[in-house]
Amino acid sequence: MTTPAGAPGRHRPVIAPDPAAPGLPAGRGHASVLAVAGLLALAPLIRHTGVGTSPAYLLAGLLAGLPHGAVDHLVPGWSSARARSPAARLAVPLGYAAVAALVLVVFQAAPTPALLAFLVLSVIHFGAADEAFHAERDGRPVRYSPAGVLARGGPPVVVPLLVWPETVDPLLAAVAPGAPAALSPGLRLLALGCLVAAGTLTVVRDLRGGRLLAAAEPVLLLALFAAVPPALAVGTYFAAWHAARHVSRLLRAHPANRSDLAAGRWTAPLGRFARAAALPTLIAAAVPVVLAGWPGRPFDPLALTVAVLAALTVPHTVVVAWLDRRRPPVG
C-alpha cells in the first residue's frame, strides 16, 4: 500500500498500478494519424464538393466518441482500495452526475460564459490527453508541458475560429448567441499566435527527443483544421483521435486486462470495455433527447449535444487527471 505522490504523511490506501503491466505498443496511435492524414489528403475534393459542412458530421463524431468517458465511474476503483468500498462506488457516480447537472444548469443560466469556458477546457483536456498518451507510450512519467498542451489541444478549437468563422460562428451562436461577438478578431489572432509559438516549441522538443512522429502531429492537426470544414474535422478528430487514444489507455489501466495485453490479445479487453461502457453511453445519449422534449424548449440537437458534452467533460477531465497522477512510467 502506498500514498499518492505529492501527499506525504497522508494515509489514503491505494493499490499502485503494476509497473510491469504492459505499456501502450509503439504503434498505438498510428491509426489516428492515418485517419487524420487520409482526411487531409481528401481536403481538396471535400472542399470542391461541399461535403463536410453539415453539423450532422459534428454531431455524429461527438456521439461516436461519447463512450470514451463512459467508464469514468469505474476508473478510481482500478487503482484505489478506498474507491472500491460500497460507499465510494456509490459516491463516485453520484458526484459525477451532480457536477454534470450543475454544468447543465450553468449553460442554461449563462450560455456565453459557459461555452467560452468549455472551449478553454477543451483545449486543456485535448492537449493534456495527448501529452499523457505520448508519455505513457514512450515509457515516460506523465508531465504536462504548457506548450505541449496548447500545441496538441489548441488546433481543434483555435484554428476553426480563425480560418472558418463563417461556418463556426453560426454553430457557436446556436449554443450561445453571444459567443461569436465575445470572440473578437483580435482575440482569435492572439490565440492563433500563441498556438503557433507553442507548436514550434513542441515540435523542436520532440525532434530533439527523437520522437519524429510525435513532432509531426501538431503540424498535421494544424493543417487538418485549416483545410477541412470544421464539422467534419472536429467530428473525425474527436472520435478517431481523442476518444480512440483515451480508450487505448483505459484498456491498459484496467487490472483485468493485464494478462491479455501482455500476450498481445486486444479482443477480450475491448469486449470488457464495450460491456462496461454500453449502459452509461446510452444514458448520456438519451439526455439530449429528454431535454429536447422538455415543455416549452425549442429542439436544437446540436446545442443540446454540446451542452451535455460540456457537462460530461468537466467531471471527465477530473477523472482523467486523477488517472494520470497514478500511471507509472513503463520502462
Side-chain angles (χ1 to χ4, degrees), residues 141-180:
V142 175
R143 298 283 187 270
Y144 298 141
S145 159
V149 169
L150 178 56
R152 300 186 184 282
V157 177
V158 175
V159 176
L161 287 174
L162 190 69
V163 178
W164 301 87
E166 71 286 351
T167 301
V168 172
D169 285 359
L171 298 177
L172 294 176
V175 180

Side-chain angles (χ1 to χ4, degrees), residues 85-285:
S85 68
R89 293 179 67 175
L90 180 63
V92 170
L94 288 179
Y96 197 101
V99 172
L102 178 61
V103 175
L104 276 176
V105 171
V106 172
F107 252 88
Q108 298 303 306
T112 296
L115 179 59
L116 297 180
F118 173 55
L119 294 178
V120 173
L121 179 62
S122 296
V123 171
I124 296 171
H125 176 57
F126 290 157
D130 247 16
E131 286 279 279
F133 173 84
H134 283 285
E136 188 169 329
R137 189 180 63 181
D138 297 342
R140 297 179 282 112
V142 175
R143 298 283 187 270
Y144 298 141
S145 159
V149 169
L150 178 56
R152 300 186 184 282
V157 177
V158 175
V159 176
L161 287 174
L162 190 69
V163 178
W164 301 87
E166 71 286 351
T167 301
V168 172
D169 285 359
L171 298 177
L172 294 176
V175 180
L183 294 166
S184 66
L187 182 60
R188 299 184 197 208
L189 276 172
L190 176 62
L192 182 63
C194 292
L195 175 58
V196 171
T200 302
L201 291 173
T202 302
V203 169
V204 171
R205 178 199 67 179
D206 286 337
L207 287 175
R208 286 178 175 174
R211 299 181 291 271
L212 301 184
L213 182 59
E217 288 185 3
V219 179
L220 177 64
L221 292 176
L222 281 171
L224 172 73
F225 291 102
V228 176
L232 180 57
V234 174
T236 301
Y237 168 86
F238 187 75
W241 186 293
H242 175 69
R245 290 184 169 195
H246 183 68
V247 169
S248 71
R249 296 188 67 218
L250 288 177
L251 296 183
R252 181 192 173 236
H254 196 323
N257 293 337
R258 286 175 185 161
S259 60
D260 287 318
L261 297 181
R265 297 187 299 265
W266 289 86
T267 303
L270 285 170
R272 292 187 189 100
F273 174 83
R275 289 190 294 272
L279 181 59
T281 299
L282 289 175
I283 293 173

